[in-house]
Structures are given as structure tokens and as C-alpha cells.
């Protein structure tokens, strides 16, 4: 069998490359594998040669030591790959197919999967509903920042690209279908973005930029992106977004200036829809920009969003954060101004994006040149051996979406 090198979490601030077992159709014991999943057979799975596996902000939370991830965990939940072997129960997926892998693993037959809630599948994680590759407390499915990876329930999970040559030409765009493009789109759909909407997106990282791209695709009139990072704000401006540097203070006044006479009332810098693409490691505004304040984004979005509006929350929040600013934050308990949201009749949608709800439609938008998501998030392919540098640069705020390219199929 071929060698299989992978990116491994080695402790806070450290990742490395290590050779791991070539995938088999059984979940074996290892770092992070739930004991109830050990020995689980996957004849419904396939083995992929990884074409692309992206570094995600959610991976960074683990690498910073902000979760309970064990050392030795194989990272990577944003996977695009070529099928090199199929299990005996696979009917429709064939060797040679190039496919996108939704980051949330779903079984297909459970109640939630049948209702389209694939982010909270009931069958793949003994600890709680919902699972993902290479992620803490998600059942222990091996991550895809590797040369080869197992994908279970392949006929259900995989999105096959219709033309191999076309897929390889657009591979950096299509690589965003595993997570950030559907996740950003889900945030906007959850917030009710539609034709003529005014939209505020907190966070100009890859998910925030994907959400901004999605807002334009959905017909927004104004898309405003807020962040502390000047380079990332410049990236948002590169495809038509207005920007707010929240290190200058509360974003409300800047939003008011942008909306001008289109604001609903004098003195009310209110948008129709808002998206939290930051999550639990949020920092404050203005003088508090260097201080971690995990509820800041959610509270500011309630302030910025009009009465009757909606807030999408694709940004990650956790139930266990060893590095939390206080005891409450370490348990995922935040000081939210829920009374304000209630008084304004806001609706909130949280949790994993159900990728399969959106990925096929977004694939068609990419294939027919309706959107350039790789350009908008500044997708940058790098070799597997450069993973540690990619994690470091991304952690320092690089305005890039790093795409690991283990087999040189993305132009690394």
C-alpha cells in the first residue's frame, strides 16, 4: 500500500507531518477516536487520494490549544479527493471520480439526515449529534490533511464533479465546497439575505469572505465586512464589499455612515441581516481590540440588526474551552444581551452548516462562472510539507485560505 503522510496536532501551537496507516474500511483506535466507534466497519466507504485539504479557522482553535483535542490527532475536515478504491457496499461512486467531501459526516438513514439536517446526524458520533473529520469530540474519524483518507457512507456523502477535466481546471474554487463556501452561504441564508438586503458580516477570515461572496450571490444591495485585520479588510474590498475596522471603535457609527440615507431611521445604523463569522475567540472593539471578549460579536450584531431581522451564526462556539477568559467562558457560557434580541424579535440560527443542503447548487454556480470564490478568499495552494508554515501564517492573520496539495494537483 502507498505511504500515507498526514498533518498531526502535536500540542498547543505545534503541528507536524507523520506517516499514518493507509485507510481501511474499519475505524481503528487512535488519538481522539471514540471507544464506541473502535472496530466500526465501513463497507459503504471509499478511499480517496487527497486532491486538496484546506486549513480552517476551526483547525486553528485546536492548534492554539483552545479545545480538548488530544495530541496525535490527524487534522483536516475540508477535503476534496479522487476515488482510488470503493467498499463492497458502494453502488454509485466509481474509481477515478473527483469529489467534494462535506465536512460533516452523515449516515443518510437517520431522522435528521432524512430531514436534511446532516450537520447533526444521529448515527456517526456516540458522544453527541454531528460529526466531522479530524476534529475533537466528533467521533474520531481520521482527518483529511493527509495523502489518503477514508470517507464513510460514500454514496450519500460525496458530491461527484460531473467532468474531471473541468473540475481540475477549477479545483481551487471547488475545494471551497467542503466547508467555507456552504458555511458562509448558510450564514447568509439563515440571516434572510435576499435581493436588496443590507448585510453586516463580522469577520473577514475565509468564512467571512465566503459569507460576503454568498451575500452578493443572493442579491444583497450592500455588504459590509467588519474586522481588526487591515489586510483581510482589503481582501473584502477587492470584490466590492464596504468595510469597517472595529479597532477604530464600535462598528455602529461606521455602519451608519456607509448606509447613509438608506438606513431605516436617523441614528439607527441597522442592517437587514447579520452574520457572525468569528466565533468564540472574538476580541473587543476600539480600546478593547486586544482583549478577548467572546460575546462581543453576538451582542454587537443584535445592536446592528433591525427589529424583525435575523442573525446567522456559522462562527464556531464550543462547550469546552481550556483557554477561556473566565470560568463561564471555559464552559461555553457567554454574557449575551438576549433581552435585546428578544425585544427586537431577532431570530438566530446556530450550529454546523448542513453542507449537503447547498453544495450542489454552489458547485453549479462555480462551474458556470457565476462566482469566483477562490479569488475572493485568496485561496493559496501549498505542499503538505509546508503545513506548519501555513498554520503559522494563518494564525498571524494572513489574508489567505491555505489549500494543502499533497499530490501536486492544485498547482502547489
Amino acid at each position: 500500500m502507498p505511504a500515507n503522510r498526514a498533518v498531526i496536532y502535536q500540542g498547543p501551537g505545534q503541528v507536524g507531518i507523520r506517516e499514518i496507516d493507509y485507510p481501511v474500511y474499519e475505524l481503528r483506535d487512535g488519538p481522539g477516536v471514540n471507544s464506541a466507534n473502535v472496530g466500526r466497519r465501513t463497507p459503504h466507504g471509499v478511499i480517496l487520494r487527497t486532491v486538496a485539504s484546506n486549513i480552517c479557522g476551526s483547525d486553528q482553535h485546536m492548534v492554539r490549544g483552545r479545545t480538548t483535542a488530544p495530541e496525535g490527532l490527524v487534522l483536516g475536515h475540508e477535503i476534496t479527493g479522487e476515488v482510488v478504491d470503493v467498499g463492497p457496499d458502494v453502488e454509485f461512486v466509481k474509481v477515478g471520480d473527483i469529489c467534494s467531501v462535506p465536512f460533516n459526516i452523515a449516515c443518510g438513514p437517520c431522522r435528521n439526515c432524512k430531514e436534511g439536517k446532516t450537520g447533526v446526524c444521529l448515527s456517526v458520533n456516540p458522544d453527541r449529534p454531528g460529526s466531522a473529520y479530524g476534529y475533537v469530540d466528533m467521533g474520531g474519524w481520521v482527518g483529511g490533511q493527509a495523502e489518503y483518507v477514508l470517507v464513510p457512507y460514500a454514496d450519500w456523502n460525496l458530491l461527484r464533479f460531473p467532468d474531471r477535466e473541468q473540475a481540475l481546471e477549477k479545483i481551487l474554487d471547488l475545494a471551497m465546497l467542503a466547508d467555507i463556501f456552504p458555511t458562509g452561504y448558510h450564514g447568509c441564508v439563515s440571516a434572510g439575505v435576499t435581493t436588496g438586503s443590507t448585510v453586516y458580516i463580522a469577520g473577514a477570515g475565509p468564512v467571512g469572505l465566503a459569507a460576503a461572496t454568498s451575500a452578493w450571490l443572493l442579491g444583497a444591495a450592500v455588504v459590509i465586512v467588519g474586522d481588526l485585520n487591515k489586510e483581510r479588510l482589503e481582501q473584502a474590498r477587492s470584490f466590492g464589499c464596504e468595510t469597517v475596522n472595529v479597532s477604530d471603535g464600535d462598528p455602529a457609527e461606521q455602519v451608519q455612515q456607509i448606509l447613509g440615507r438608506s438606513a431605516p431611521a436617523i441614528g439607527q445604523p441597522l442592517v437587514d441581516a447579520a452574520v457572525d463569522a468569528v466565533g468564540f475567540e472574538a476580541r473587543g472593539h476600539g480600546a478593547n481590540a486586544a482583549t478577548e471578549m467572546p460575546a462581543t460579536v453576538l451582542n454587537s450584531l443584535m445592536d446592528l440588526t433591525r427589529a424583525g431581522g435575523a442573525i446567522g451564526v456559522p462562527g464556531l462556539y464550543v462547550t469546552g474551552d481550556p483557554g477561556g477568559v473566565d470560568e463561564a467562558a471555559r464552559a461555553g457560557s457567554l454574557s449575551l444581551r438576549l433581552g435585546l434580541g428578544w425585544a427586537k424579535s431577532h431570530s438566530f440560527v446556530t450550529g454546523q452548516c448542513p453542507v449537503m443542503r447547498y453544495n450542489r447548487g454552489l458547485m453549479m454556480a462555480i462551474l458556470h462562472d457565476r462566482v469566483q470564490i477562490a479569488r475572493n478568499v485568496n485561496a493559496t495552494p501549498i505542499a503538505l510539507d509546508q503545513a506548519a508554515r501555513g498554520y503559522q501564517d494563518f494564525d498571524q492573520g494572513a489574508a489567505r485560505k491555505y489549500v494543502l496539495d499533497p499530490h501536486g494537483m492544485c498547482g502547489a
Side-chain angles (χ1 to χ4, degrees), residues 67-102:
T67 72
T68 56
E71 294 182 14
L73 185 73
V74 180
L75 299 168
H77 58 272
E78 299 190 20
I79 308 164
T80 307
E82 178 184 12
V83 178
V84 294
D85 193 74
V86 298
D89 291 354
V90 175
E91 184 175 359
F92 299 107
V93 177
K94 308 299 182 186
V95 170
D97 288 345
I98 297 182
C99 306
S100 179
V101 185

Side-chain angles (χ1 to χ4, degrees), residues 186-201:
H186 177 61
C188 288
V189 169
S190 301
V193 177
T194 187
T195 304
S197 295
T198 56
V199 185
Y200 180 80
I201 296 167

Side-chain angles (χ1 to χ4, degrees), residues 23-63:
V24 295
Y25 296 111
E26 180 179 327
L27 195 54
R28 294 176 172 174
D29 198 8
V33 179
N34 189 293
S35 60
N37 261 349
V38 174
R40 182 172 183 158
R41 297 186 180 276
T42 59
H44 41 67
V46 301
I47 296 171
L48 298 183
R49 174 167 43 230
T50 303
V51 173
S53 187
N54 315 331
I55 296 175
C56 180
S58 298
D59 297 321
Q60 286 285 19
H61 294 309
M62 290 190 292
V63 172

